[in-house]
Amino acid sequence: MDFTAVIAQLPRLVAGAQTTVWLSVAALACGAVLGLVMCAARLSGNIALRAVAAGFVSVFRGLPLLVVLLILFYVPPNFGIETTPITAALLGLTLNTAGYQTEIYRAGFLTLPPGHAEAARMLGFSRLQIARHIFLPQIFRVTIPALTNEAVDVVKSSGLLSVIAVTELLRVSQQIVSSTYRPLETYLVCAVFYFVLSSTVSWTGRALERRMSLKPA
Amino acid sequence: MTELMEIGARNAAIQLRGVGKSFGAHKVLTGIDLDIGRGERVCIIGPSGSGKSTLLRCMVFLETYDEGEIHVEGRLLGYSVEGGVRKRDADVQVAAVRRNVGMVFQQFNLWPHMTALGNVGAALRVVKGLPRAEVDRISREALATVGLAHKADDYPQRLSGGQQQRVAIARALAMSPSILLFDEPTSALDPELVGEVLEVMRKLAGQGMTMVVVTHEMGFAAEVADRVIFMDGGRIIEQGPPSRLFSNPQSPRLAQFLDTWRSRNHSGSAS
Amino acid sequence: MIDLTALAEFAPAIWRGLLVTVEICAVSLMLGLVLGLVVALLGRLPFRPLHWLIRGYVEIWRGTPLLLQLFILYYGGPSLGFTPSAYLAGVLGMSLYTGAYLSEIFRGGFDAVPPGQIEAARMLGFTRLKTVRHIEVPQMLKLVVPPTTNQMISIIKESAVLSVITVPELTLTTTRIVSETFNVVEPYLLLGLAYWSITSLVAFASRRVERRLVQA
């Protein structure tokens, strides 16, 4: 094994890793907003809203991200809608994680005792105020472990964006392979990058969990 | 008739007429007529499953009621009547009608992500939109009333059950209610912590607060209540001043209930 | 907008692709189950270096994308004198990947049986084997089945990346149809439907199994 050719390309890998990070962060953030909206819809009293949210979850948790990306990238041009790799990537990654985050938030919500909302209602809180001041802060606290796993999954899944030519970490590695003819070394170095990224996410999640855990007397 | 009822409703803090409720086929409340006067202290007792907690929760529309009418401070609770048809109110209207009613729950229901002070001040901040300094002043005052000024910055998990319930009382008090409802406020507490909560409740009773208390604490009822209501099977079976009700029960069911209670507590003194 | 004859034309090929996907997933899952169980059991031996080795395996395989792991096997293997077919690289890669997840699930299952129960069984005269058989395994199963079925669904979805290393499964079959016929909408519609149906089917079946286990 000879890593010199790959080491020379480290700056490109770092740039690729940066793309991986910002795409993951953006998808996770957009997915959080969409996931919370879908979660609210799933828990609402309105049957139509509930059905829409259930369908959304079923579809995006039931389809491979790769398939979602292929569809988002190749199908819209058929109907006269131009797509770029980045928009398809961001949209696909967001929809995928939103499907999972919806269920994470719902599970988190179901752990909260109903009395929390009753107490707030008795003090005059509106539904929106209850959601904002009572549910949201607690849901984030109880779902940190699940959200950490989801963030790791998103970072890993973002490797699929290489298939639609987004120059993230894995795509950059493929490009390096095609010029250096060193697949084993290049992909091993790429694996180190991913491992560092996902370990950082896990470690941060655990630290956050410890900090926000409720310590009894 | 309706006019008379309106007049009565205005004088009563809470007025119930013919209130009934079912969970599916199971009737949990039947024909409840009850007037809670201003400044009156009422204790509701009865075996578990008698519907007393449900009744209390109906008084603030945490449970809907199917039959009859409930007026809070003269206003119909939970429904509007339009052209003889009863329509359920939006949350905002319900909240407006019960805005002077505070509630204390069996399980405290403190929000674990806020300190004691944060719990007490949350509604002042979020619902009333008061400035920070004002929120702080009122919250600390309320905590002082329940003797927990020194615990302001502690999270609920760090407080004993009794302290948590006192914070919950302070939280209700901070909104300056004219009526306070208590749903078995001491039932979730270890026996040695019951006293401190009852102490706070006694103090409130002494200050002229209108109180409705669902409780198993007969000693408290005997000492503080103006009127005790005995419920069984979803109905009010008997009511009256505690002195008469406890010493001279008219109905066999109340007599039996009191006997059971006495035999269970014969060794200890009532708290 | 959607051409029904095109749907009918592509359906048989996509069906064959689906069968390949199911086959690879089934084989990988079996191998992954065995691997996961072996790793979980080895992890219970009181031998420190083994624990580190297992930790390393689990963390690395769960911390990197499956697609990258497949690239390393398929394109990197030849540098080490190992030249697997796409199919073999696929099965091997997916088994190792699943094994890492399943070993963690099984470890959790073993840890969850309180030692007091095992002591109680021993005091009643249960042999070690009978304790495992009648006390530990039934409880572990209840705990382990839901995450394992989730893992099954994951595997089916993750298997789509096998198309990138040219395993002729469902996704590759479809993308080939797309590039050969220039039909985009119908093949992708079938593709989406195929994955959604099979993952929904597995999810539905596993819920039934879970319900029966909970009642048992």
Side-chain angles (χ1 to χ4, degrees):
Chain A
M1 277 199 266
D2 180 3
F3 284 95
T4 46
V6 185
I7 302 293
Q9 302 285 351
L10 269 183
R12 286 177 71 192
L13 284 167
V14 171
Q18 280 170 350
T19 307
T20 292
V21 168
W22 87 253
L23 278 172
S24 304
V25 170
L28 279 165
C30 298
V33 175
L34 186 55
L36 283 169
V37 170
M38 284 296 167
C39 175
R42 254 204 114 160
L43 297 164
S44 83
N46 186 316
I47 294 178
L49 281 179
R50 276 212 307 269
V52 167
F56 175 85
V57 168
S58 170
V59 166
F60 289 103
R61 296 209 322 168
L63 288 182
L65 175 58
L66 179 57
V67 171
V68 172
L69 290 173
L70 292 174
I71 290 174
L72 286 175
F73 189 56
Y74 291 111
V75 173
N78 247 299
F79 300 101
I81 304 162
E82 286 312 309
T83 53
T84 64
I86 287 285
T87 50
L90 209 50
L91 192 59
L93 214 49
T94 297
L95 291 170
N96 181 264
T97 185
Y100 284 93
Q101 289 191 48
T102 302
E103 288 304 273
I104 292 174
Y105 297 134
R106 192 170 74 109
F109 172 82
L110 293 176
T111 64
L112 302 181
H116 284 186
E118 281 183 356
R121 273 163 65 194
M122 280 309 299
L123 293 165
F125 282 65
S126 70
R127 272 162 191 267
L128 213 64
Q129 286 168 337
I130 293 175
R132 154 95 178 71
H133 296 279
I134 309 299
F135 291 157
L136 257 187
Q138 295 200 68
I139 282 177
F140 271 113
R141 186 175 48 73
V142 298
T143 54
I144 286 173
L147 285 176
T148 304
N149 282 339
E150 179 56 21
V152 170
D153 272 349
V154 167
V155 169
K156 285 164 50 186
S157 309
S158 70
L160 291 175
L161 304 181
S162 61
V163 177
I164 56 166
V166 175
T167 48
E168 44 64 71
L169 191 47
L170 193 51
R171 180 71 176 182
V172 169
S173 307
Q174 286 174 303
Q175 290 169 343
I176 293 172
V177 169
S178 63
S179 63
T180 62
Y181 306 106
R182 291 257 169 221
L184 184 63
E185 292 86 342
T186 308
Y187 290 136
L188 284 177
V189 172
C190 176
V192 172
F193 270 84
Y194 273 111
F195 185 69
V196 170
L197 287 181
S198 52
S199 304
T200 308
V201 172
S202 307
W203 185 86
T204 311
R206 275 198 297 273
L208 215 59
E209 195 187 332
R210 266 198 305 277
R211 255 196 62 177
M212 295 190 63
S213 71
L214 303 169
K215 292 176 204 79
Chain B
M1 168 71 186
T2 34
E3 219 165 277
L4 278 175
M5 270 174 68
E6 284 299 321
I7 292 164
R10 240 174 276 140
N11 289 331
I14 303 177
Q15 184 198 59
L16 295 87
R17 285 291 174 273
V19 170
K21 175 172 181 63
S22 309
F23 285 121
H26 181 55
K27 188 116 199 204
V28 283
L29 292 177
T30 311
I32 305 286
D33 292 314
L34 182 62
D35 283 5
I36 311 282
R38 290 184 193 279
E40 195 184 9
R41 286 142 316 195
V42 175
C43 284
I44 306 176
I45 61 171
S48 55
S50 58
K52 52 194 194 302
S53 278
T54 307
L55 178 63
L56 194 76
R57 289 166 62 81
C58 280
M59 289 182 195
V60 284
F61 215 61
L62 281 178
E63 302 280 358
T64 59
Y65 55 97
D66 314 323
E67 298 161 14
E69 289 187 358
I70 299 178
H71 285 82
V72 176
E73 298 189 314
R75 295 169 69 184
L76 181 62
L77 174 73
Y79 299 99
S80 302
V81 182
E82 277 169 28
V85 183
R86 202 153 90 161
K87 192 172 115 296
R88 193 172 155 178
D89 278 347
D91 290 359
V92 191
Q93 289 160 279
V94 176
V97 172
R98 69 177 176 213
R99 70 180 187 283
N100 290 327
V101 187
M103 178 123 175
V104 175
F105 299 86
Q106 182 178 353
Q107 298 296 339
F108 332 137
N109 291 338
L110 292 182
W111 305 306
H113 60 296
M114 299 179 189
T115 60
L117 193 69
N119 266 280
V120 177
L124 298 170
R125 186 165 51 85
V126 174
V127 178
K128 288 198 170 170
L130 296 182
R132 183 177 270 252
E134 186 84 340
V135 171
D136 202 66
R137 185 184 62 75
I138 299 173
S139 311
R140 285 185 193 280
E141 216 171 84
L143 277 176
T145 306
V146 299
L148 286 175
H150 60 296
K151 293 288 185 185
D153 297 323
D154 281 14
Y155 282 88
Q157 301 75 34
R158 291 191 159 271
L159 302 175
S160 72
Q163 290 171 333
Q164 288 189 50
Q165 192 59 297
R166 284 151 66 197
V167 172
I169 293 173
R171 180 171 68 175
L173 285 177
M175 295 294 277
S176 29
S178 53
I179 307 165
L180 261 186
L181 308 187
F182 295 81
D183 187 5
E184 306 202 20
T186 57
S187 295
L189 297 175
D190 292 336
E192 72 271 22
L193 302 177
V194 168
E196 59 185 82
V197 172
L198 294 182
E199 187 59 40
V200 169
M201 290 170 64
R202 255 181 225 115
K203 192 166 140 191
L204 291 174
Q207 290 166 358
M209 174 76 72
T210 308
M211 291 167 72
V212 184
V213 185
V214 169
T215 188
H216 294 290
E217 297 294 334
M218 300 302 165
F220 175 81
E223 179 194 342
V224 171
D226 300 309
R227 179 160 47 132
V228 172
I229 292 170
F230 172 69
M231 286 185 70
D232 194 15
R235 294 170 191 273
I236 294 176
I237 304 293
E238 198 173 338
Q239 54 179 311
S243 50
R244 187 192 60 71
L245 210 77
F246 288 144
S247 58
N248 186 17
Q250 302 299 305
S251 69
R253 269 191 280 183
L254 175 56
Q256 191 197 357
F257 176 75
L258 291 173
D259 277 350
T260 310
W261 183 80
R262 282 193 191 101
S263 65
R264 273 195 202 139
N265 291 271
H266 67 97
S267 54
S269 59
S271 40
Chain C
M1 208 135 78
I2 287 160
D3 184 353
L4 287 174
T5 54
L7 278 182
E9 184 190 336
F10 305 138
I14 288 178
W15 172 251
R16 281 193 297 277
L18 178 63
L19 291 183
V20 176
T21 287
V22 170
E23 180 188 281
I24 293 190
C25 289
V27 174
S28 306
L29 190 70
M30 286 302 159
L31 292 174
L33 276 171
V34 174
L35 181 63
L37 199 59
V38 169
V39 169
L41 287 170
L42 285 177
R44 305 187 84 192
L45 295 177
F47 185 49
R48 270 291 167 81
L50 200 61
H51 292 184
W52 298 332
L53 214 64
I54 289 170
R55 259 330 333 131
Y57 162 61
V58 169
E59 295 298 332
I60 290 169
W61 262 259
R62 296 202 315 171
T64 55
L66 173 61
L67 181 57
L68 178 61
Q69 295 173 21
L70 294 174
F71 280 177
I72 291 174
L73 277 170
Y74 188 59
Y75 299 114
S79 311
L80 299 171
F82 171 62
T83 311
S85 66
Y87 192 97
L88 180 61
V91 169
L92 208 58
M94 293 239 299
S95 304
L96 289 167
Y97 187 73
T98 319
Y101 280 93
L102 290 177
S103 73
E104 281 294 278
I105 293 170
F106 293 146
R107 186 176 66 101
F110 278 126
D111 288 351
V113 181
Q117 289 188 11
I118 295 159
E119 281 171 12
R122 300 300 288 277
M123 285 308 295
L124 291 168
F126 281 61
T127 64
R128 183 175 280 266
L129 205 66
K130 279 190 174 155
T131 310
V132 171
R133 156 94 178 71
H134 295 281
I135 310 296
E136 288 194 71
V137 168
Q139 297 197 61
M140 200 188 117
L141 268 185
K142 254 186 225 180
L143 290 169
V144 156
V145 165
T148 305
T149 54
N150 275 341
Q151 198 56 41
M152 260 166 86
I153 295 167
S154 269
I155 282 292
I156 295 167
K157 292 191 302 172
E158 295 258 13
S159 73
V161 305
L162 294 173
S163 63
V164 181
I165 61 162
T166 72
V167 177
E169 44 65 79
L170 183 53
T171 304
L172 185 65
T173 310
T174 311
T175 52
R176 276 188 182 152
I177 292 173
V178 169
S179 58
E180 282 161 15
T181 66
F182 302 108
N183 271 302
V184 177
V185 179
E186 293 83 5
Y188 279 133
L189 191 69
L190 284 174
L191 178 66
L193 207 61
Y195 275 115
W196 183 78
S197 315
I198 188 159
T199 48
S200 302
L201 198 71
V202 173
F204 175 76
S206 56
R207 270 199 300 276
R208 307 248 341 220
V209 173
E210 279 159 31
R211 215 170 298 145
R212 282 184 53 180
L213 269 174
V214 170
Q215 284 161 0

